[in-house]
Amino acid sequence: RGHGWPGGGLRLCIAVPWCKSCLPHSVATCAAGADMDGRDIFAGAAAGAVGQTVGHPLDTVKVRMQTQARKSSSWRCVLHVASEGGARAFLRGLSVPLVSKSFEQSIAFGVRGMAERGLAAVGLHGGQLRSGLSGAAAGAATAVVLTPVYLVKVQLQVTTREGLTGPFAAACQTIASRGLFGLYAGATPILVGTTIGYTFRFASYDHAVATVRQWGAGDATAVVLGGGVAGMATWASHYPLDLLSARMQVAAAVAPSNTATEPQGLLGHFREVLQHH
């Protein structure tokens, strides 16, 4: 499918001089059927690591703006974060998502490839429908990995409390306060959001690349424009759910362990957003 994939795959092809179609076939673990392709997994893992490193500082600003009580511009938020620790403050909470993002993307691309081959086996050989369905399967599969990682990441990004020396301390504090299932606060909007987001991600990418190629553009131009369109479509499609999941995870993470009340649920946070914003 050319020399790249949407989102993470695009970053892979820019950052390193190889991609799935360039990898030796010996890396593949299977050649046919509905098994996962090792090249999908390997390329997705590398793409996830590169993309997470590049995007984490902006993600920190996004999470702060989503979860703070008062309204603030992005530049004010940037200055506030910088005042807490300089450039290092923007990288707070990076270690866990950096490792897990590679795992997440390897799952996403592996499941996507497996789903596409499965759909082809039942007669759905191409088009946006197949891309969207395979993307939905990939998004749902990653939600199990994403939820605890996002909670730890968000907790480290929004707090400067002493005692949170790293992701392990943040996870232990949440477990001590809310139990093991506390790590899955915000699971519902993340599951729905990743399913919707990955659906738009892959379907829009394939359509955009095909359209740009019809205009006579080369593969590199098609991949760059297709990846950009896919990224915007992904975030536009599930950003409200991302907002709600961040607020739910902050509420669960920062609540004191001796509180008698549980953090409010999805509808409670939805009403709160409508009332204050």
Side-chain angles (χ1 to χ4, degrees), residues 88-251:
R88 294 184 61 182
F90 292 94
L91 299 177
R92 188 180 295 132
L94 173 61
S95 57
V96 170
L98 178 61
V99 175
S100 65
K101 195 68 174 182
S102 297
F103 184 49
E104 173 212 333
Q105 290 298 296
S106 68
I107 292 175
F109 282 95
V111 170
R112 188 239 183 160
M114 182 176 64
E116 283 196 334
R117 290 187 289 276
L119 291 170
V122 297
L124 194 58
H125 294 285
Q128 287 179 272
L129 179 58
R130 190 182 79 160
S131 297
L133 290 175
S134 61
T142 62
V144 176
V145 178
L146 284 175
T147 304
V149 171
Y150 277 7
L151 183 136
V152 171
K153 174 183 73 70
V154 165
Q155 184 174 7
L156 291 171
Q157 285 176 318
V158 302
T159 183
T160 57
R161 289 175 297 159
E162 296 182 359
L164 291 186
T165 56
F168 183 74
C172 288
Q173 187 174 96
T174 300
I175 293 173
S177 175
R178 298 296 174 187
L180 188 61
F181 286 104
L183 293 174
Y184 280 85
T188 299
I190 288 177
L191 174 62
V192 177
T194 54
T195 301
I196 295 173
Y198 272 80
T199 299
F200 279 88
R201 175 184 182 182
F202 288 113
S204 61
Y205 173 80
D206 287 346
H207 180 71
V209 168
T211 300
V212 173
R213 283 175 176 161
Q214 288 177 358
W215 295 344
D219 283 346
T221 301
V223 166
V224 170
L225 294 179
V229 170
M232 290 187 290
T234 300
W235 278 106
S237 66
H238 83 286
Y239 186 81
L241 291 164
D242 180 76
L243 168 65
L244 292 173
S245 68
R247 295 177 72 92
M248 291 176 68
Q249 290 182 324
V250 167

